[in-house]
Amino acid sequence: MSLFRSCDERLYAGAMLTALSIRDVVLIEALDLDFGAGLGVLTGETGAGKSILLDALGLALGGRGDSGLVRHGRPQAVVTATFDAPPGVHTVLEDNGLEIEPGEPLIVRRLVKADGGSRAFVNDQPASASLLRELAGHLVEIHGQHDERGLLNPRGHRSLLDAFGRVDPSHTVAAWATLRDAEAALEAARAEIDTAQRDREWLEHAVAELTQLAPEPGEEEALADRRRTMQRAEKIASELAAIDDHLEGSSGALSHLRQAGRVLERIADAHPTLADALAAVDRAVAEGAVAEDRLREARLELAYDERALEEDEARLFELRGMARKHRVQPDDLASLTEELRGRLERLEAGEGGIAKLEATVKAARTTFDAAANALTERRRAAAARLDAAVATELAPLKLDAARFRTALAPLPRDGWSGAGKDRVEFEIATNPGAPFAPLTKIASGGELSRFILALKVALAEEGGAATMIFDEIDRGVGGAVASAIGDRLARLAARTQLLVVTHSPQVAARGARHLLIAKAHDGTVTRTGVRPLAEDERREEIARMLSGATVTDEARAQADRLLEPA
């Protein structure tokens, strides 16, 4: 069954309740409702079950999963609400690891078991009741005697005031970010200097020790190679000396070969084989000379100097000991020296750096203070305009003795942010001379709903959820006041989807569509049903609301007058 489909739904694209399905909730056995844009009214006799409908919707929006809501004899109750999701919902879902495709409806389903426990789903993905409550803040505001969401929550008052007054906090947001960055840099620098000051004595000693050592990159490997070479030379020194004795000198092998060669030269012509022998001796002498040269080079390269070996070993042990002390590789000592020297230099120059950072913080704080103070002034001007706008709405709603104000108060320093330094809260005083207090503290159920309506009309398009529900906003009033309520609800419904539970014929007559909630008895079974009214049925229902149990022709005539276009 469709509710107020005749309105221009282009105004509501992506932001309203489109359907509600209820199964086995208290007296409701099975109910499927379709919704559209505009003002929808729900009426029925006292005790017909209007509250059950709201309780069911509240369940889908994360309300308490009380097993008492389950219809007697049934295993579970199920409520499914379908919305055209506003943009903010997608962010909430992503933050909770859920997704819906752009343009896809948001379907919230809640099950409550008769033996206790409940489950929740968002587009068939398991969800928590707390997530449903978070989503509800973007979807529906239910205003009734005990509701503490929407406009009654002071946490949203500042943003509502900013939206009403077209107050742009972007300069304050940027100034706050700059201030926070500057303060973080100063805090980090101070922490580094504090740490360095504690280590100053160690740093000075370490830098002096490393500077005196003067390690160089690659030095340890070079020393180790030279040390190994000299140690090898020490071991083969006697063998090299023995080789010299065999090859060189007057009694060495090369001397004897040369002597043999000179003798062979004198007799080589005597026989061909002697010439071959002479050639062989010449080759042996030549090879021996090469060996002699190579040995001479080896002796130079393997020169063994006991003092140099001791010096290299001492340097090598010193480098390795220093590396162990600082827990680095020997080749990293040179870079460590520079690092520690840099830390010491920064420490010595630290006070100057801190002073510069302090100056930066001071300048950033001045900029933020100026931006935040200007923001406060713009909010004060917007608050005065909002107070005046609400005041014009109070008298027609039979709240002429009440006063409304938008209270601005400075936040403590730890409450400052990119949104400024202000705490904003909507307050009322219901009687002359009475002090101002938060809405929920001093307003009765009917007064509270009318204050909310006055605020909503004043704020017009600014903030709020996609769908609003007023529960018996007309309680305790009639006549001109009820007509004023109906007029304002109709004006508000031009921009926001509204559902109103009402006992007032003046309010009911302003609805774009009308739902009747009624009980039906079938033997021992009682059921609550909801059905849309055709125009003639609507006239009869409004006449009943005017006259009571017996509907008179006079009541029907008055209903016709109420239903005439405004």
Side-chain angles (χ1 to χ4, degrees), residues 343-389:
R343 285 177 58 185
L344 189 57
E345 289 172 354
R346 288 195 299 274
L347 174 60
E348 293 169 349
E351 292 303 323
I354 290 293
K356 289 181 181 178
L357 289 172
E358 287 175 339
T360 301
V361 169
K362 184 177 180 181
R365 186 172 291 124
T366 298
T367 301
F368 170 72
D369 287 342
N373 292 340
L375 185 61
T376 298
E377 291 307 310
R378 291 196 295 274
R379 282 175 176 153
R380 290 191 188 282
R385 297 197 302 275
L386 178 58
D387 293 352

Side-chain angles (χ1 to χ4, degrees), residues 24 32 91 150 192 395 420 441 560:
D24 296 319
D32 294 290
T91 301
E192 182 179 358
K441 299 296 183 183
D560 287 336

Side-chain angles (χ1 to χ4, degrees), residues 103-121:
E104 183 182 359
L106 177 72
I107 304 173
V108 178
R109 183 160 53 99
R110 187 84 181 276
L111 290 77
V112 177
K113 296 182 179 180
D115 57 0
S118 69
R119 299 174 66 191
F121 301 88

